[in-house]
Structure formats: structure tokens, C-alpha cells
Amino acid sequence: MDPAAPASTKASTLPRPRRTILRDIGLAVVMMLVAYGGFVLYFATRPVVVRVDYVKKLVDSLPKPASESDAAWPAYRDALVQLGFGSKRPGNMDTLGLLGVRAGQEGWPTISAWIDTNADSIAEMRAAAKRPILGFPIGRPYTGADADYFGGPIAGAAPPSPLDREHFQFDHLAAPHYGPLRQVARALASDLERAVELGEGERATQDAEAIMRLSRHVTEGRLLIGDLVSLAIRQMCVAYVVSVLEWKPEVFSDDQLRRIQGALLSVPPELEWFDLTAERMLFEDTVQRTYSDDGNGDGWFVPTMRQLSALESLLGISGGGNSKPSPIVFGAFVWPLRPIGTPMVAGRRDALAHYHASADRIEKVPEGSLREQIAACEDIVAERVRMRQDPDQVTAYFLEALIMTVSPQVMRSYALDRASRRAASAAIAAELCRRATGAWPASSAELAPFNGGVAPTDPWSDAPIRMSRDAGTFRMWSVGQNGVDDGGEPLPFGSPELSTHPMPDSGERAIDWVWFAPSGDTKRWVGK
């Protein structure tokens, strides 16, 4: 090396100083932090726009009474108050507990005396059921008689401003009327049985008609909880009608039986299956409050810490089981960690499209036999379970996994409801056939003239319904879920294999679903 060479030339031939490496690393770290900070700032400044007041949208979709006399809720409420229910009459819990006690059971003398004493109030319930709409003030503060009944003027009103993104409006949407309306249904059902005991067929017929009308009132707004209450009320009506028909059919005239038959089959097709309109609104409201809005239908998942507790409560009650998202996704709730957590969740447009596709699938279960519908339900539930057990899917569609819960029991309830009501109609047809011909029917075809021209088929097998008539007895049955004809033996209430239910929990023993087994008593239904 030339000793006369410049110092700079000499330095360039030396190994790179450690401080230079550290400087480069530091510069890279700073650049990464600046970039990360830019992403933090980007996600922190994404606009969240609450465009739609979904509670108002739901309220606006409800039918409006043309006059005060069109709304049934005030009349139901006033009748309940007269019966001693409501916040100011808490001492009536003993009577409430007895509603549902059947003839022949302990407590029936007490409840039948209560029914006789309150005949006028129960008659007002029947009259209220004839009104065209329910008219409960969903989404509005309670005032006047409603506030007195529920014990407060704003029991669960929506937040002051629907534009406040921090609050999920549907969390504040109270619907406390379902409990009272179930009490109305139970009072009418008890009155139906009491009327039969007294030989008053017209009163019992009007009770059955009122219960079925009430079941339609309950579905107003198509909230899923309301639909489930409606299904329970309809199943109560079916059980009472078939049991009193097995007990004292002579109480009813032919015309009264046809009216009950018509009431059981009067449910409009749109009320016989899921309508997720309200649930879609709930999801869309949650999305608009937790996602940014780029003005073109897309955006990022940017929830607030305050919203976390509400969403965690959904995680606890949604039945997700193993549906746990990646822990990293919760970084989306903390703005310094959003560049890590937010990109793991599907964008706004994708999240909405995926949810609505799932909802469409649930709402469009095909027509078919009960077995086919149950199989379709189980396919949907299995699909949802697979989605909820896939960590990547749960992470990407975080809100859908929390909010959209589809259980086998709920899905089956709709199919079983329709099958049960058709079975009760066929039981009435069998009694009408006996009266017209002097003998119990020997085949399903003989029931057609008394069943709207339709020969009832076994919904579990698509074959004609099974019948047996010997030694003066008659029974009619379906082979049940296992598809095996076990002779249609009626089993008493309380048995593990309950033969009065279309899908009993039969355990290891096969069981038929007995539609009708007249016996002159109610033992099959009350176990006494």
C-alpha cells in the first residue's frame, strides 16, 4: 500500500465499524416505528359513520293501529292487571306458578276456582286476541299504564342518541312483553281445559282460537325471541286441544271442531320459518359502529375498548364453544395495536356479504318431509359448527361468529311446530270421521274429506299415517324419528320416551309419536 495514499482511502479498506452497524439498525428501527406509527395513525383516523338508526327502522316496520281499538297489547295488559299481575301486584306469584296445572293434577281445584272467579278478565283476553295487531311500544319509553305495569318509565330504552357509536342500540332494546303474553296464553289454556270440564264447548273453542291469534301477535317485529315464544304458545295449544279431544270430545260440536282445526292451520307461511330481518338489522348496526366507512361500502374493523365488554358478553352467551378467535384479533380494540389486529378481521364489505349469505341459507330450508327438513337443519348447524371451530374463520368473521347462533333445537322447532299442528288437525279429522260414519277410520284416505281434502301422511316416513282400531279403541301414530313402527303404544306423561312429542328424547328405546289415542281421560298428558 502506498504510504502516501490519502487517509480516506486507507479508512475505506478497514473493516466496517460496529457503530456504523448499530447506526443502520437504529435507523431501520426508527423507520419501522415511523411506519408502524403511520399505520396506527391511519387506523386511528379511519372515519366511523353511523348512518342508520336501526331501532327506528325496526319500529317503523311495525304495523300501526288505525285506531286505539286495533291494538291488542293494552287490553292484554289491563286484563293481566285485573288478574293481579304486574309490578304493583307481586303477591300473585302463587297463582302464576299454578297456571299450566292440568285437570287431574294436584293444584287443579285451586286454579279452576281462580279461573271461575276471574272469568270476566279471561273473556277480555279472548276479545283482545281478535284485534288485528299487538301494538306493543318496542323501542320507545314506557309511559302511563305500561310504566305502571313494568315498574318504570324507561325500562331499557335506547341510548339518547342513535349516532353514539359506542353503544350497540339493540343491547338497549327491551322487549319485556313476551313474559306477560305467555301468562296470557297459559291463562287461556287453563280456561280451555276448565271449559271442557264444565261441558262448555263454545268457550273452549274460543280459547283455542284466541291462543292461536295470540301466537301471531307475539311474532310482531319478527324478533327471534318473539318467534320462539310464539312456537311455545302454539305447541301449548296443540297439547291442550289433543288432550281434551282424547278426554271429552263430546263437548264440541262438529262446527266447533272445524273452527279449532282451522285455527291450528291458520299460521301464515311466512310465520312458519325463520325470518332474520331483525337479526340482520342487529348485525348491520354492530358493523356500522365497529367498522370504518370509506364511503364505498368497505372499511376496517376498528372497535373501541368500550365496545369490547359488550362483545365479550356475546362471546359468553352465543354458544360458540370452541369458537375462539386468535388472541391477536383483540388488538383491534386497542388503537396502538390495530396494525396487527385489524387486518386479521374481514373487511366491512366481506363481513356483511358473508353474514347475509349465511342468513339466506338459514331462511331457505327447502320444503319436504319432516325428516328432510330436520336433515337440512342439521346440515346447516353442522356447517355453522365447522365455521365456529375454525380459528381462521372465527377470526376473519369475528362478529358473525359472536352474533349468529344457530342451534339444532331452534331450527328443529319450526319444522316440528308445523308437523304438530297438522297432526292435531288430523286428530280432529279422525273424530269428525267417526261421527260421520259411525266408526273410526281404517286408513289415512278416509280422513281426507275431514282434513281439507288432504290425506295425512307420516312426516317421518312420507307413508300414510298408521292406525289401529280394535275392541272399541283407536289410535293413530307416526313411526317417529327412528323410522321404525313400534305399534303406536301411548306412553304416559313423564316417561323418558314421551309419545306426545314429535321428536322425543327416547334414549335407547324406540318410540312412536302417537297423534291421537282417545281414552276418556288425560292420563297420557298429565301422568295421573
Side-chain angles (χ1 to χ4, degrees):
M1 180 178 294
D2 186 355
S8 60
T9 303
K10 293 180 181 180
S12 66
T13 63
L14 297 175
R16 189 175 188 183
R18 182 176 297 177
R19 64 175 177 271
T20 302
I21 297 174
L22 292 176
R23 182 193 64 193
D24 291 345
I25 293 174
L27 182 60
V29 170
V30 169
M31 291 177 65
M32 290 176 62
L33 289 174
V34 169
Y36 187 86
F39 281 116
V40 170
L41 182 63
Y42 171 79
F43 285 118
T45 57
R46 292 307 84 199
V48 174
V49 183
V50 180
R51 300 181 182 276
V52 182
D53 182 347
Y54 281 100
V55 169
K56 182 178 184 301
K57 186 175 181 179
L58 174 65
V59 171
D60 289 346
S61 72
L62 299 175
K64 304 298 187 293
S67 65
E68 290 185 4
S69 62
D70 284 344
W73 164 251
Y76 286 138
R77 178 203 62 217
D78 293 347
L80 286 168
V81 170
Q82 292 171 15
L83 292 175
F85 298 116
S87 64
K88 293 184 177 180
R89 308 288 288 276
N92 208 28
M93 294 304 294
D94 290 342
T95 301
L96 179 60
L98 285 174
L99 285 176
V101 169
R102 306 294 304 272
Q105 290 183 313
E106 184 178 356
W108 176 249
T110 300
I111 198 64
S112 60
W114 180 85
I115 291 168
D116 294 345
T117 301
N118 294 283
D120 290 343
S121 297
I122 295 174
E124 290 181 14
M125 292 177 173
R126 286 195 293 269
K130 295 180 181 180
R131 299 188 179 188
I133 69 171
L134 178 61
F136 183 82
I138 293 177
R140 298 191 295 274
Y142 310 139
T143 59
D146 285 339
D148 289 341
Y149 185 85
F150 292 113
I154 315 179
S161 171
L163 302 182
D164 177 7
R165 70 158 291 198
E166 294 283 358
H167 297 90
F168 301 116
Q169 276 200 296
F170 278 77
D171 284 352
H172 299 266
L173 182 64
H177 57 302
Y178 296 127
L181 291 177
R182 290 194 72 165
Q183 294 171 13
V184 171
R186 292 166 69 190
L188 289 168
S190 293
D191 189 74
L192 185 159
E193 194 156 48
R194 176 60 172 160
V196 170
E197 185 177 51
L198 297 174
E200 299 178 15
E202 178 59 26
R203 175 175 144 197
T205 300
Q206 291 183 20
D207 283 328
E209 292 172 329
I211 295 170
M212 291 303 299
R213 293 190 187 106
L214 170 63
S215 76
R216 294 196 292 276
H217 280 158
V218 172
T219 63
E220 204 163 279
R222 295 313 300 268
L223 298 173
L224 181 57
I225 182 63
D227 275 14
L228 296 179
V229 171
S230 176
L231 292 172
I233 289 173
R234 296 204 292 256
Q235 287 307 291
M236 180 190 301
C237 189
V238 166
Y240 274 78
V241 165
V242 177
S243 66
V244 298
L245 193 63
E246 292 182 354
W247 179 27
K248 292 189 173 185
E250 68 280 359
V251 167
F252 300 97
S253 68
D254 291 5
D255 179 65
Q256 289 164 352
L257 289 177
R258 293 189 189 97
R259 283 166 51 195
I260 296 173
Q261 193 177 46
L264 291 168
L265 301 178
S266 66
V267 179
E270 63 269 20
L271 298 183
E272 292 190 321
W273 194 246
F274 278 100
D275 182 322
L276 296 176
T277 299
E279 275 62 39
R280 290 178 196 258
M281 290 183 187
L282 182 155
F283 187 78
E284 291 173 2
D285 184 58
T286 304
V287 165
Q288 75 171 345
R289 295 169 190 278
T290 55
Y291 274 82
S292 64
D293 186 345
D294 68 359
N296 295 308
D298 214 347
W300 296 95
F301 185 56
V302 288
T304 68
M305 281 295 292
R306 186 177 295 179
Q307 291 170 332
L308 176 60
S309 60
L311 291 175
E312 283 184 329
S313 68
L314 287 175
L315 184 64
I317 65 174
S318 62
N322 297 325
S323 59
K324 304 295 184 183
S326 167
I328 300 174
V329 78
F330 288 96
F333 291 89
V334 185
W335 66 266
L337 300 179
R338 279 185 180 161
I340 301 173
T342 291
M344 299 186 69
V345 183
R348 180 179 184 138
R349 181 183 289 118
D350 186 11
L352 286 168
H354 194 276
Y355 175 87
H356 287 305
S358 299
D360 288 343
R361 175 112 163 82
I362 293 169
E363 287 183 333
K364 295 177 181 177
V365 169
E367 287 282 347
S369 70
L370 182 57
R371 185 175 296 282
E372 290 169 337
Q373 289 193 32
I374 294 294
C377 292
E378 291 175 346
D379 287 344
I380 292 172
V381 171
E383 181 181 290
R384 296 297 301 168
V385 168
R386 286 192 295 271
M387 180 258 186
R388 296 168 72 92
Q389 291 179 343
D390 182 340
D392 293 337
Q393 288 280 297
V394 173
T395 296
Y397 302 107
F398 179 70
L399 294 180
E400 180 180 332
L402 292 179
I403 293 174
M404 180 180 279
T405 302
V406 180
S407 72
Q409 294 80 9
V410 170
M411 295 204 73
R412 291 168 184 159
S413 293
Y414 289 89
L416 297 176
D417 167 67
R418 181 161 55 180
S420 296
R421 289 183 290 106
R422 289 177 176 175
S425 172
I428 293 174
E431 173 63 21
L432 290 171
C433 178
R434 182 191 67 80
R435 294 181 182 189
T437 65
W440 290 111
S443 69
S444 179
E446 293 181 37
L447 294 179
F450 309 97
N451 196 51
V454 177
T457 58
D458 184 341
W460 281 114
S461 67
D462 281 338
I465 198 69
R466 270 68 169 178
M467 297 180 183
S468 173
R469 56 176 190 178
D470 52 56
T473 64
F474 174 77
R475 63 181 181 273
M476 177 167 55
W477 69 94
S478 156
V479 296
Q481 187 180 8
N482 66 359
V484 177
D485 185 356
D486 300 299
E489 182 64 29
L491 296 173
F493 182 87
S495 300
E497 309 87 3
L498 182 58
S499 61
T500 60
H501 194 279
M503 196 173 182
D505 181 12
S506 59
E508 297 180 355
R509 178 176 172 181
I511 180 69
D512 294 332
W513 170 26
V514 179
W515 284 15
F516 188 43
S519 59
D521 56 44
T522 58
K523 289 181 179 179
R524 186 164 82 97
W525 299 86
V526 302
K528 296 290 184 180

